[in-house]
Amino acid sequence: MNLFRNAKFFTTVNRLQDLPDTGAEIAFVGRSNAGKSSAINTLCDQVRLAYVSKTPGRTQHINFFELQNGAFMADLPGYGYAQVPEAVRRHWVGLLGEYLRTRRQLIGLVLIMDCRHPLKPLDVQMLDFFAPTGRPVHILLSKADKLSKNDQIKTLSSVKKALKPFSRHGQVSVQLFSSLKKQGVDEVNTTVARWFADLDGIAENEASAAE
């Protein structure tokens, strides 16, 4: 089953106090213009579920979508370059940081990086910031179609090596992804579905222990 197909827009928020009372959710995040919205649209097999723009920083709110298993997906504001007033940028940073740090429903993070420019300083900061939560991170090296097959293999290998220090805090995985070629869709689906399955397993064990 494709977990993402037929995802439906649920709500959008711009303040922490307006976050919906959902069940378990995953979140997508990445530097501005890394291909996050295109990745979401490809995974969900829809054209404009997430807004795609050539102007970095267009996602200015947290947008929530309901998945067909009843769980939720959050599309977070892109970090890094954005042609917006400084006060607005600070608001985004605060909203993003507090959501990632305090959102109890969040079970895992899908981090989008342009495969031609992976692990930029802000990406590493994001990994450092999220690591203390102990929740899994799955990295999509997007726009893989821009690289030759040989360069794709080299990039994936070098990123895996660079990510080893982060594995001390929890599960960190990485894959190649292309929205244009629909490369890597099944792998994302399998990884995220496992997160939800693990969550169900924990709930069942806790219920059994309480009996």
Side-chain angles (χ1 to χ4, degrees):
M1 179 182 75
N2 184 333
L3 182 66
F4 297 97
R5 186 172 292 135
N6 299 322
K8 300 175 182 176
F9 176 77
F10 185 70
T11 190
T12 184
V13 302
N14 193 34
R15 301 182 303 170
L16 288 171
Q17 56 264 44
D18 295 331
L19 288 171
D21 185 16
T22 66
E25 66 195 32
I26 61 168
F28 282 71
V29 70
R31 282 187 292 120
S32 296
N33 218 27
K36 176 168 57 68
S37 295
S38 294
I40 291 173
N41 287 334
T42 297
L43 289 168
C44 296
D45 197 23
Q46 298 186 48
V47 178
R48 289 182 62 85
L49 184 67
Y51 185 79
V52 179
S53 173
K54 293 182 180 179
T55 303
R58 283 301 297 265
T59 302
Q60 301 178 14
H61 300 70
I62 299 179
N63 297 316
F64 288 87
F65 304 90
E66 186 171 5
L67 304 176
Q68 60 175 312
N69 67 345
F72 290 81
M73 170 178 70
D75 180 13
L76 304 181
Y79 51 86
Y81 173 83
Q83 288 182 326
V84 295
E86 178 61 21
V88 175
R89 191 193 66 79
R90 286 199 304 270
H91 172 71
W92 293 358
V93 171
L95 179 65
L96 181 65
E98 283 300 300
Y99 169 86
L100 292 172
R101 188 174 62 85
T102 65
R103 184 68 167 167
R104 61 177 179 78
Q105 291 94 331
L106 182 62
I107 68 167
L109 190 67
V110 180
L111 176 55
I112 316 296
M113 300 181 194
D114 187 324
C115 67
R116 298 166 297 179
H117 315 288
L119 291 173
K120 289 292 187 180
L122 286 176
D123 297 322
V124 175
Q125 285 182 30
M126 175 60 68
L127 288 167
D128 282 333
F129 184 83
F130 194 69
T133 69
R135 296 164 183 162
V137 179
H138 188 57
I139 297 170
L140 306 190
L141 298 176
S142 67
K143 306 182 184 182
D145 53 278
K146 303 292 186 182
L147 299 180
S148 67
K149 289 293 184 182
N150 191 47
D151 285 340
Q152 287 183 27
I153 293 170
K154 288 181 179 178
T155 298
L156 182 61
S157 177
S158 64
V159 172
K160 283 183 175 179
K161 184 177 180 180
L163 288 173
K164 285 183 179 179
F166 295 100
S167 298
R168 295 195 302 266
H169 301 283
Q171 178 188 343
V172 180
S173 50
V174 60
Q175 68 163 92
L176 294 163
F177 188 86
S178 169
S179 297
L180 182 65
K181 302 292 186 181
K182 293 183 168 53
Q183 175 186 351
V185 170
D186 289 343
E187 188 175 347
V188 183
N189 187 71
T190 299
T191 298
V192 173
R194 189 184 307 121
W195 293 351
F196 287 115
D198 290 346
L199 187 67
D200 290 340
I202 293 172
E204 289 176 3
N205 291 335
E206 289 178 347
S208 297
E211 291 178 355

